[in-house]
Amino acid sequence: MSIIIGFDDYLTPAKQLAQSLALPFQQVDLHRFPDGETKVTIPTPLPKDIIICRTLNQPNHKLIELILSASAAREQGVEHITLVAPYLCYMRQDIAFNDGEAVSQKIIGKLIAEYFDRVITIDPHLHRITDLSEAIPIKQAVSLHATEAMSAFLQDKFENPIIIGPDEESYQWVQAIAKPRNWQYSIATKQRHSDTNVEVSFSSNDDSQQFNLTDRDVVIVDDIASTGKTLEQSVLQIQQQKPKSISIIVSHAFFVDDAIKSLNALGVNNIWSSDSVIHETNAFSIIDTIKAQLDKK
Ligand code: R5P
């Protein structure tokens, strides 16, 4: 019998996971000292096999606390530790673009591999690699998708939406959502000039089908919304075709600074995200997807 161990910043989904698996849940106690260090106290006693569930947005202190927790668990004789991190941090920097840049994907991947036997995540941002175990060198590095949950959620909302991806990378998610339900889809091309300056274009892209969006329910899909600029630029392009509605659905909602306000100001009808990252836009859950993976063990 295993146990789900959670943290105060991701309690509801972690408890849901425990409930769905009919496993006990216990919480790690964190005491933050005035100097910024954390005292980590894990539950005791623990079984030989444990599952730690914590999502890794705002990751710096969370990573340290996870390492302290995993190490303390090993001290208790725990033999197998699964990390369920619905959002996995530091996966974007997968090469050094300039001299001196740390390749965070490899460094953090290796660090996680030292402490955990299995890692389960949702839509990690893997650009130049396809297998998560290339980033986290362990046998069980499992990358799941939010697309099934997204597709089911959208089916309840629209009869015949058209699904739009803002860049080539989104092709995989757009297809996975649209194809099983015979919805039309289209993929734009994106050029990023800086963190906050992106250009999105819907002009011809060989891989994409181009459709008239006038009077259609349009849904833009992406894995991450960070500054929201990719979505903003997509919305501005789509609006030129006068659709019936524009909705946004993402796996991981960051929407930093005024991103939500700016998208609302553009007249976006709906902004939805999964509970991989706790956010006001959370509308559907990826916990069942993770449960299904854990059930396979
Ligand atoms: C990038 O390739 C990702 O799929 C997202 O499109 C990107 O991270 C979104 O970032 P932002 O919201 O800052 O435009």
Side-chain angles (χ1 to χ4, degrees):
M1 172 92 144
S2 186
I3 182 176
I4 304 285
I5 294 182
F7 290 76
D8 58 357
D9 43 44
Y10 199 63
L11 266 190
T12 304
K15 281 184 177 172
Q16 276 164 5
L17 183 63
Q19 201 177 17
S20 69
L21 290 162
L23 290 178
F25 173 87
Q26 288 206 52
Q27 194 177 328
V28 172
D29 183 66
L30 301 176
H31 174 74
R32 300 245 160 75
F33 293 108
D35 61 7
E37 292 184 5
T38 314
K39 182 174 76 175
V40 168
T41 309
I42 62 165
T44 175
L46 287 172
K48 296 278 176 219
D49 183 317
I50 65 169
I51 299 167
I52 298 183
C53 179
R54 189 180 209 188
T55 204
L56 288 172
N57 59 316
Q58 304 286 335
N60 294 354
H61 69 277
K62 291 184 185 172
L63 279 171
I64 297 291
E65 290 160 6
L66 279 180
I67 287 167
L68 295 174
S69 304
S71 303
R74 299 279 185 207
E75 288 289 316
Q76 276 192 47
V78 172
E79 288 168 5
H80 192 276
I81 310 181
T82 298
L83 171 64
V84 171
Y87 176 73
L88 190 58
C89 56
Y90 283 115
M91 291 293 115
R92 275 185 271 193
Q93 179 94 15
D94 56 0
I95 56 170
F97 297 94
N98 298 294
D99 288 348
E101 282 179 5
V103 182
S104 61
Q105 186 189 84
K106 283 235 168 313
I107 299 163
I108 301 298
K110 203 168 148 226
L111 181 76
I112 290 173
E114 272 176 44
Y115 291 90
F116 297 94
D117 302 287
R118 175 170 59 167
V119 174
I120 297 175
T121 189
I122 300 282
D123 294 324
H125 198 92
L126 306 178
H127 187 45
R128 274 160 280 262
I129 62 170
T130 48
D131 194 332
L132 185 60
S133 63
E134 291 174 58
I136 302 178
I138 50 176
K139 278 197 197 123
Q140 290 175 290
V142 183
S143 160
L144 305 171
H145 301 291
T147 46
E148 217 180 297
M150 282 178 172
S151 192
F153 177 80
L154 291 174
Q155 194 180 30
D156 279 350
K157 299 283 174 191
F158 303 109
E159 211 164 294
N160 184 26
I162 182 158
I163 311 298
I164 302 285
D167 53 27
E168 294 85 341
E169 277 176 346
S170 59
Y171 186 66
Q172 50 184 313
W173 306 301
V174 166
Q175 262 203 328
I177 293 169
K179 274 200 167 169
R181 304 197 193 273
N182 287 323
W183 292 335
Q184 292 172 319
Y185 61 91
S186 183
I187 312 292
T189 49
K190 179 169 86 179
Q191 260 193 302
R192 182 175 286 283
H193 303 296
S194 72
D195 282 352
T196 53
N197 183 3
V198 296
E199 254 178 85
V200 175
S201 160
F202 283 89
S203 59
S204 74
N205 173 346
D206 287 346
D207 259 356
S208 144
Q209 309 167 48
Q210 302 297 321
F211 296 104
N212 183 356
L213 306 180
T214 308
D215 288 330
R216 300 291 305 271
D217 289 309
V218 175
V219 181
I220 311 170
V221 176
D222 211 347
D223 59 340
I224 301 172
S226 178
T227 63
K229 295 298 172 194
T230 300
L231 295 168
E232 257 185 53
Q233 290 306 310
S234 305
V235 169
L236 288 170
Q237 296 291 318
I238 290 165
Q239 275 175 334
Q240 292 173 15
Q241 290 200 43
K242 304 205 179 324
K244 182 173 159 198
S245 69
I246 301 181
S247 302
I248 285 167
I249 192 163
V250 298
S251 304
H252 311 300
F254 292 93
F255 293 107
V256 301
D257 302 330
D258 278 344
I260 292 286
K261 214 169 143 192
S262 306
L263 287 164
N264 284 332
L266 289 179
V268 170
N269 300 78
N270 303 291
I271 305 176
W272 295 308
S273 65
S274 88
D275 54 1
S276 70
V277 172
I278 303 295
H279 191 267
E280 63 188 272
T281 57
N282 288 173
F284 61 99
S285 181
I286 40 70
I287 291 301
D288 280 352
T289 306
I290 293 169
K291 175 205 180 289
Q293 177 64 33
L294 286 165
D295 274 341
K296 285 183 192 167
K297 193 177 114 183

